[in-house]
């Protein structure tokens, strides 16, 4: 395929990205997005399988080859954020926007499919995986549970995520831990409420919960080796409704992150011990309701080496910047990397607003380099 063909298609690819930006949908609600992508790719002649994990889909390009297959994944979901970009193509869905660039990721994968379709010399099998519900609901795990890799076996999987603050068009990754695991918990501290003037007749859940918050500040500093990384954040504390009433319960929302599976296990265990014993010391009871956690995003070293070589050969040595340490954010592509070797890479979004900001927008300049990288990666994988 000549670059001329793709360059002629680029304005349409930008239009596709901006159309997707206007119709953000949250996890497992990506019906319009999924239908749009499926109709487009099936219209190009790709074999499309719909309804994996409710709204996910896989499009397959099979050009023979040596029997191996590569998986290329993009996430599709938006976020419940009111957009404040002022863009002409801003979200048309009240209270929702693409604040993490998943509209761009989806469009990059569409662009990669276009390039590979128009490459008459390409030989190999590519599964283009369009995943729902990355943000909070573990769509990758659900796709796997629906038989993703049994129905579409892959010998390696790769994914990109835009990264504000990294120079536009520059790639970055590291072998081993790339992003942290996350576990989330709702902690309910149950006491016995009463009049604020008679605390001796109550079991005050506010005081017990406050003690838990403070005790958790030592969970990392006194349980995780200084060479490792861990974070526990109490992001919400809900209790009471009046200054003269001691409530019956307090509710905390907590997240735990670690870049090593063993540290993750240790932090979760220590969290449960601290919560239980601190609550008991005040005569209160504590219940922990765990939400779906994401494992450590663990890159295969050989896959990172392959991707870096492709980037340097295609765009120059400066186009790849090794990541020196794992990021503490989390990513459910980790579930796929637990099943199949591969790599997760950042692609610089330039000097933009940060991810999950109401002023964030995906950099359309990446719609040239992103598809070109995935195209070159697929060719090199089967070389």
């Amino acid at each position: 395929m000549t670059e001329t063909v793709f360059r002629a298609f680029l304005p349409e690819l930008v239009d596709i990205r901006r159309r997707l930006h206007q119709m953000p949908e949250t996890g497992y609600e990506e019906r319009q997005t999924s239908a749009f992508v499926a109709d487009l790719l099936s219209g190009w002649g790709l074999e499309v399988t719909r309804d994996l994990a409710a709204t996910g889909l896989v499009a397959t390009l099979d050009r023979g080859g040596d029997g191996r297959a590569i998986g290329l994944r993009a996430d599709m979901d938006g976020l419940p954020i009111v957009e404040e970009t002022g863009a002409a193509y801003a979200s048309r869905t009240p209270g929702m926007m693409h604040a993490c660039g998943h509209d761009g990721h989806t469009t990059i994968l569409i662009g990669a499919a276009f390039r590979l379709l128009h490459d008459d010399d390409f030989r190999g099998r590519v599964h283009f995986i369009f995943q729902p519900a990355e943000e909070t609901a573990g769509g990758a795990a659900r796709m796997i549970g629906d038989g993703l890799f049994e129905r579409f076996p892959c010998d390696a999987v790769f994914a990109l995520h835009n990264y504000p603050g990294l120079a536009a068009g520059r790639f970055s990754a590291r072998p081993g831990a790339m992003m942290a695991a996350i576990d989330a918990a709702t902690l309910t501290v149950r006491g016995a409420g009463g009049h604020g003037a008679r605390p001796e007749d109550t079991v005050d859940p506010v005081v017990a919960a406050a003690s838990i918050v403070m005790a958790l500040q030592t969970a990392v500093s006194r349980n995780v080796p200084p060479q490792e990384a861990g974070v526990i954040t109490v992001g919400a504390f809900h209790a009471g409704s009046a200054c003269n009433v001691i409530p019956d319960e307090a509710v905390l929302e907590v997240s735990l992150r670690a870049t090593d599976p063993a540290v993750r296990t240790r932090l979760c265990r220590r969290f449960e011990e601290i919560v239980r014993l601190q609550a008991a010391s005040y005569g209160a009871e504590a219940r922990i309701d765990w939400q779906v956690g994401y494992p450590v995003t663990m890159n295969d070293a050989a896959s990172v080496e392959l991707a870096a070589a492709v980037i340097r050969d295609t765009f120059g040595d400066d186009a790849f910047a090794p990541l020196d340490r794992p990021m503490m954010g989390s990513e459910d592509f980790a579930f796929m990397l637990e099943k199949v070797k591969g790599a997760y890479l950042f692609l610089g979004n330039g000097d933009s607003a940060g991810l999950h900001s109401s002023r964030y927008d995906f950099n359309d300049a990446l719609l040239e380099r992103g598809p070109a990288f995935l195209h070159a990666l697929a060719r090199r994988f089967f070389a």
Side-chain angles (χ1 to χ4, degrees), residues 232-300:
I232 295 182
T233 296
V234 180
F237 190 134
H238 303 288
S241 59
C243 68
N244 61 347
V245 178
I246 294 173
D248 286 318
E249 67 178 30
V251 179
L252 309 181
E253 300 292 344
V254 187
S255 62
L256 302 86
R257 298 176 189 265
T259 57
D260 179 87
V263 171
R264 179 192 187 189
T265 299
R266 186 185 308 164
L267 273 184
C268 289
R269 182 182 68 248
R270 192 72 183 116
F271 171 77
E272 291 186 339
E273 291 170 349
I274 289 172
V275 166
R276 177 173 53 83
L277 294 172
Q278 284 290 319
S281 72
Y282 288 88
E285 297 179 350
R287 186 183 75 244
I288 301 171
D289 296 311
W290 291 100
Q291 281 88 56
V292 175
Y294 295 173
V296 177
T297 303
M298 195 70 69
N299 279 345
D300 169 62

Side-chain angles (χ1 to χ4, degrees), residues 107-120:
T107 308
I108 284 175
L109 198 52
I110 290 171
F114 180 91
R115 290 184 65 106
L116 285 161
L117 272 167
H118 288 80
D119 183 351
D120 294 334

Side-chain angles (χ1 to χ4, degrees), residues 19-25 32-33 36 91-93 98:
R19 180 173 174 181
L20 291 173
H21 188 85
Q22 290 179 315
M23 54 182 192
E25 299 165 291
Q32 289 186 76
T33 304
F36 175 83
S91 170
R92 295 180 178 176
T93 306
H98 274 294

Side-chain angles (χ1 to χ4, degrees), residues 52-77:
L52 276 84
T55 49
L57 65 108
V58 176
T60 299
L61 173 65
D62 193 346
R63 291 275 184 81
D66 59 10
R68 294 182 301 149
I70 186 173
L72 305 176
R73 171 269 202 179
D75 37 21
M76 300 188 292
D77 53 326

Side-chain angles (χ1 to χ4, degrees), residues 6-7 10 13-14 17-18 89 108 168-170 315 347-350 361-372:
F6 182 68
R7 287 185 181 278
L10 260 178
L13 198 60
V14 171
R17 203 286 293 184
R18 295 182 176 186
Y89 50 85
I108 284 175
R170 178 173 289 177
F315 308 113
L347 175 57
N349 202 56
D361 194 12
F362 181 84
N363 187 344
D364 285 334
L366 306 185
L367 297 178
E368 183 173 0
R369 181 163 285 196

